[in-house]
Amino acid sequence: MKRLGIVLLACAALFTLAACANRAAETVTFTPLTEFPATLGAGFPVAQVIDAPSAPVAVGQPAPNFALLWEDGRGIDLAGLQGRPVILNFWATWCGPCRAEMPELVALHQANPGLVVLEINTQETLAAIRPFAEEFGMEMPVVVDEDGALRSLYDVRAMPTTLFIDAAGLIQARWAGLLTGEQLEHFVTQLEMN
């Protein structure tokens, strides 16, 4: 009898969580890329995992989907960016190599309007992220992944880690560690060829 009670309680909890998740998804107004906030960090959207793959994330596989959500209820998901190449750069303010490569990533974003650069800060608060973004003039979306859900989703184990996703939504390359300007150019050229 006790076991049945625990099972019923667990089922009720799962049902409640599913209902809340559906309600949250219904309140998001999906926003075209052209309507991202034109401010520092593109308004600092918060990350939310949409679907987690059953197999590990790998080069050649579709990039797992996630949403970027703004405080005003607008959002977009990674699948909504298909048709354009995307760079996911996972970083942290305390990471020396992240600091060293950030000027190259900012310049890449500014020079390539057809390329989507998403800067994903992992497990830090906006209070820590904002001064870093101001220092480097990061006008691309600076995604807040405070709970590390995207870091886990993409199996990021070192900072920085960068993933290069082609216009069809497939992961074409993954790089753990500092990227130079020449390396970035090489990966972007490869993305544009796919």
Side-chain angles (χ1 to χ4, degrees):
M1 187 68 158
K2 187 177 181 180
R3 189 174 295 170
L4 178 61
I6 291 172
V7 169
L8 289 174
L9 183 61
C11 288
L14 288 173
F15 179 75
T16 302
L17 287 173
C20 290
N22 287 340
R23 219 173 292 126
E26 291 170 6
T27 61
V28 173
T29 302
F30 283 93
T31 305
L33 189 62
T34 55
E35 295 179 23
F36 279 18
T39 59
L40 183 70
F44 298 98
V46 174
Q48 180 180 349
V49 173
I50 293 176
D51 57 358
S54 56
V57 174
V59 171
Q61 298 297 315
N65 202 14
F66 62 91
L68 309 178
L69 306 173
W70 283 269
E71 287 182 351
D72 64 4
R74 292 182 300 152
I76 192 166
D77 63 357
L78 185 62
L81 298 175
Q82 282 191 2
R84 298 177 73 165
V86 177
I87 294 177
L88 305 180
N89 178 252
F90 291 85
W91 62 280
T93 61
W94 50 261
C95 165
C98 300
R99 178 173 287 283
E101 75 177 8
M102 196 55 69
E104 298 289 350
L105 288 157
V106 169
L108 179 71
H109 166 72
Q110 292 170 343
N112 295 279
L115 178 68
V116 179
V117 179
L118 300 177
E119 292 294 338
I120 303 168
N121 177 277
T122 60
Q123 298 175 294
E124 295 184 291
T125 64
L126 187 54
I129 299 167
R130 186 179 297 277
F132 186 97
E134 288 172 353
E135 178 181 345
F136 290 99
M138 297 168 71
E139 294 179 0
M140 70 279 270
V142 176
V143 182
V144 179
D145 182 30
E146 194 169 340
D147 66 358
L150 284 187
R151 181 179 182 173
S152 295
L153 180 66
Y154 279 89
D155 195 29
V156 173
R157 299 177 185 190
M159 298 290 167
T161 294
T162 308
L163 288 96
F164 299 86
I165 302 168
D166 68 17
L170 299 176
I171 300 170
Q172 292 298 321
R174 177 186 186 106
W175 185 269
L178 175 70
L179 278 166
T180 65
E182 288 178 6
Q183 290 168 316
L184 274 170
E185 284 181 37
H186 169 76
F187 285 121
V188 170
T189 300
Q190 294 301 313
L191 276 182
E192 292 170 347
M193 292 173 61
N194 288 322

